[in-house]
Amino acid sequence: MSSTIQTAGLTIVHTEAWTLNDGTHEDTVNSSNTQVITNVADIYKRTILITTSEVTLLTFSSAAAQAGHFVAANVKYMRFTNKDNTNFITLTLRNQDNDEVAIKLDKGQSFIWNADLANGMVDVFNATQDADAASDSALGDLTNIQADANTASCHLEVFVACT
């Protein structure tokens, strides 16, 4: 089966702008970084209500199976934005060795995961307390991401780009 879908570049722009005293004393700082991820063939964007019970948002393996399940090597970029104006969400990332890290995503904040551009979610993190934690050989494949809200349900925007 041939496809009529053509890949495209995903342009990501991060901008910080800060002005103190209305900029009258040269107290202005601006910074911008632009990245283009080439050959993006699949975009997943969803806003989901996160409750105080942990839910699996995304899973990664060697084959796609269902919605929210991705081929680990194809994922190149992920963004999670807490759309709530009061409560935080905890994101829990787990690798193939069941190492996990929990990240507090406060109200209105975003967490961005810039994947390995060649290998996606393969061999991307280690969360042990061992001295080998920073060793390339200790890095494991990201297998899933879970989320739960701290005191009340929150909307979470999830954006994933795959090649």
Side-chain angles (χ1 to χ4, degrees):
M1 176 175 137
S2 65
S3 176
T4 60
I5 303 294
Q6 294 181 354
T7 63
L10 172 68
T11 301
I12 303 160
V13 180
H14 297 182
T15 302
E16 296 91 20
W18 177 76
T19 302
L20 184 64
N21 297 330
D22 296 325
T24 56
H25 295 95
E26 296 187 29
D27 294 329
T28 302
V29 175
N30 293 304
S31 178
S32 184
N33 184 50
T34 301
Q35 176 187 18
V36 177
I37 299 173
T38 59
N39 299 317
V40 172
D42 185 21
I43 296 293
Y44 174 86
K45 183 177 182 238
R46 179 178 181 195
T47 301
I48 183 171
L49 185 65
I50 303 298
T51 67
T52 56
S53 297
E54 192 170 63
V55 62
T56 299
L57 293 175
L58 305 172
T59 56
F60 310 93
S61 67
S62 60
Q66 60 202 27
H69 190 103
F70 298 92
V71 174
N74 294 350
V75 177
K76 304 303 180 196
Y77 173 86
M78 295 185 295
R79 177 185 48 82
F80 304 89
T81 301
N82 182 351
K83 295 297 201 172
D84 199 78
N85 59 6
T86 305
N87 301 297
F88 71 84
I89 294 171
T90 302
L91 296 175
T92 303
L93 291 76
R94 185 173 294 111
N95 74 8
Q96 69 194 34
D97 300 319
N98 282 324
D99 295 337
E100 58 181 44
V101 60
I103 298 166
K104 179 180 179 179
L105 186 58
D106 210 358
K107 60 185 179 183
Q109 297 291 317
S110 294
F111 174 73
I112 296 170
W113 182 284
N114 292 297
D116 180 323
L117 292 175
N119 299 313
M121 297 294 119
V122 176
D123 295 334
V124 291
F125 95 91
N126 188 9
T128 69
Q129 295 179 354
D130 296 337
D132 282 347
S135 167
D136 288 348
S137 63
L139 296 174
D141 300 357
L142 185 63
T143 57
N144 69 60
I145 299 175
Q146 298 178 321
D148 62 308
N150 73 314
T151 56
S153 296
C154 302
H155 282 100
L156 179 69
E157 184 176 85
V158 178
F159 183 94
V160 180
C162 303
T163 54

